[in-house]
Amino acid sequence: MLHVRSIWNGAISFGLVSIPIKLVNATESHSISFRQVHLDDGGRIRYRKYCEAEDREVTTGEIGKAYEDADGTLIPITDEDLAQLPIPTARTIEIVAFVPADRIDPLQMDTAYYLSANGVPAAKPYTLLREALKRSQKVAIAKFALRGRERLGMLRVVDDVIAMHGLLWPDEIRAPQDVAPDTSVTVRDKELDLADALMDTLGEVDLADLHDDYREALEELIAAKASGVEAPAAATGEKTGGKVLDLMAALEKSVRAAKESRGEGEETGEAAEVTRLPARTAARKSARTAPKEVGGKKSTAKKSAAKKTTAKKATTATTAKKPASKTTAQAATKKTAAKKTAAAKKTSPRKRTSA
């Protein structure tokens, strides 16, 4: 962290233990800023520091601070005045308590900083505080002074570094009065079930995969204008206008669209579009269509089954008759053969006697 420019040098007060540290910004802004220009000729618009009393422009070195009273009176405040304020946190991050992390309201979270150990002697106490925070699974609440005012902070461990989040004072959080809907609304269980299904379908996301689409589009626009080429066309999407005509239809459509985006729509055969019909129209269409489809399928199935049964009976009967006819013929043949044999025996002795 030493290669990053520190914005504040001081110490962490941990009981009687003092830990020299440097305060470093933990975040950076990637937003694109614009300059004001004169529309007629493109000239830069600049703001000049102007003294009303002397009617002239002044330099930065001639400018100080003053507090404006309710009646408009300006009360000068110098840097020496601020440095002599009896604030123990002027150069110290004073830890006042350790609390569970869920005790901190996210509404209080403000700017984030990294605390870097300042020098070799600070490494041991710095590591001690870091490991104590890890093992306790708590965060430290501290007070510190920065940019002319005392602030509240929360210390926690990020990887192997102690990070500090500036916190707003409790009285700086507005009460959420008159913000919730002022009408009585009933949410049905089916609507909640669909909302749950949508939440499950969307699932989780790795925040590292998210990026600023607006900034990328703005960079492409700037690059196109700088090159003198045509700017990329804006993507056209479905516009709802903030109106929900059918909440159930919107939820169902959202669930199916989410499943399709995850490749689940093809497996389940679900359609991506949902069209809500008025109650009467849906009932008439159901009455016209459903019985014919279901009835037709059932009648056809019954006729086919009847034909199959009749065919089976006929085949069985024919099969039964054929073996019977064969057996009768064989018996008749045997009887005829026996009669011929008996007749031959009787005739044969007579012939021999006459001889």
Side-chain angles (χ1 to χ4, degrees):
M1 300 302 299
L2 295 178
H3 64 282
V4 182
R5 186 175 65 86
S6 61
I7 61 172
W8 183 89
N9 292 350
I12 300 175
S13 175
F14 179 31
L16 297 178
V17 178
S18 181
I19 310 170
I21 57 97
K22 292 182 178 181
L23 196 67
V24 177
N25 281 321
T27 61
E28 58 186 2
S29 175
H30 292 162
S31 61
I32 298 174
S33 59
F34 297 99
R35 302 292 186 185
Q36 290 185 328
V37 296
H38 189 200
L39 291 177
D40 289 345
D41 52 21
R44 281 281 307 274
I45 301 298
R46 297 180 182 274
Y47 292 95
R48 302 183 184 277
K49 301 181 185 299
Y50 193 81
C51 175
E52 295 179 350
E54 298 184 8
D55 193 21
R56 68 178 182 87
E57 186 179 347
V58 296
T59 62
T60 303
E62 299 177 85
I63 301 173
K65 300 183 183 70
Y67 174 79
E68 186 174 2
D69 207 351
D71 59 359
T73 303
L74 295 175
I75 304 172
I77 303 292
T78 66
D79 291 337
E80 290 75 14
D81 294 333
L82 296 175
Q84 293 175 4
L85 288 175
I87 301 177
T89 57
R91 285 292 173 185
T92 305
I93 298 174
E94 183 183 1
I95 295 177
V96 296
F98 292 88
V99 301
D102 58 9
R103 288 268 303 275
I104 305 301
D105 189 339
L107 285 174
Q108 287 185 258
M109 304 288 281
D110 201 1
T111 310
Y113 307 94
Y114 288 135
L115 304 182
S116 172
N118 191 3
V120 176
K124 178 72 174 181
Y126 183 96
T127 305
L128 172 65
L129 176 59
R130 183 191 67 197
E131 296 305 313
L133 287 170
K134 281 184 181 180
R135 191 165 71 172
S136 68
Q137 296 184 344
K138 292 182 178 181
V139 296
I141 302 301
K143 295 169 68 177
F144 66 104
L146 182 65
R147 297 189 178 98
R149 69 184 187 95
E150 190 172 53
R151 302 167 185 246
L152 197 61
M154 179 191 76
L155 277 63
R156 68 184 183 97
V157 179
V158 177
D159 294 334
D160 289 331
V161 176
I162 299 176
M164 181 173 69
H165 295 268
L167 298 178
L168 298 175
W169 296 98
D171 60 0
E172 292 179 313
I173 305 296
R174 293 178 176 176
Q177 295 176 351
D178 303 326
V179 178
D182 56 357
T183 57
S184 178
V185 178
T186 301
V187 179
R188 294 179 294 170
D189 289 340
K190 289 184 178 179
E191 293 169 339
L192 280 174
D193 292 341
L194 279 173
D196 290 341
L198 179 57
M199 292 168 65
D200 292 338
T201 304
L202 292 175
E204 298 182 357
V205 66
D206 185 354
L207 295 180
D209 295 335
L210 302 178
H211 57 278
D212 190 347
D213 293 325
Y214 179 81
R215 180 171 59 87
E216 290 182 359
L218 189 56
E219 288 174 347
E220 292 179 4
L221 173 63
I222 294 172
K225 282 185 169 289
S227 303
V229 299
E230 185 178 355
T236 57
E238 183 179 356
K239 296 181 180 179
T240 60
K243 296 180 180 179
V244 180
L245 300 179
D246 191 327
L247 182 58
M248 291 291 289
L251 286 170
E252 289 173 356
K253 185 175 179 180
S254 299
V255 171
R256 287 175 176 148
K259 285 183 177 180
E260 271 203 345
S261 67
R262 292 176 175 268
E264 298 178 13
E266 297 178 0
E267 298 177 4
T268 58
E270 294 176 342
E273 296 294 330
V274 176
T275 304
R276 277 288 185 188
L277 296 174
R280 293 181 180 177
T281 307
R284 289 174 185 171
K285 187 173 182 181
S286 176
R288 290 198 306 267
T289 309
K292 289 183 180 179
E293 291 179 357
V294 176
K297 290 180 181 177
K298 287 185 177 178
S299 300
T300 305
K302 286 181 179 179
K303 288 179 181 179
S304 301
K307 287 182 180 179
K308 288 181 180 179
T309 305
T310 306
K312 285 183 180 179
K313 286 182 179 179
T315 304
T316 305
T318 305
T319 306
K321 287 179 180 178
K322 283 182 180 179
S325 61
K326 279 186 178 183
T327 306
T328 305
Q330 288 176 357
T333 303
K334 285 182 180 180
K335 285 182 179 181
T336 305
K339 287 180 180 180
K340 288 181 179 181
T341 303
K345 286 182 180 180
K346 289 180 180 180
T347 308
S348 182
R350 290 177 183 174
K351 287 182 178 180
R352 286 179 183 176
T353 303
S354 42

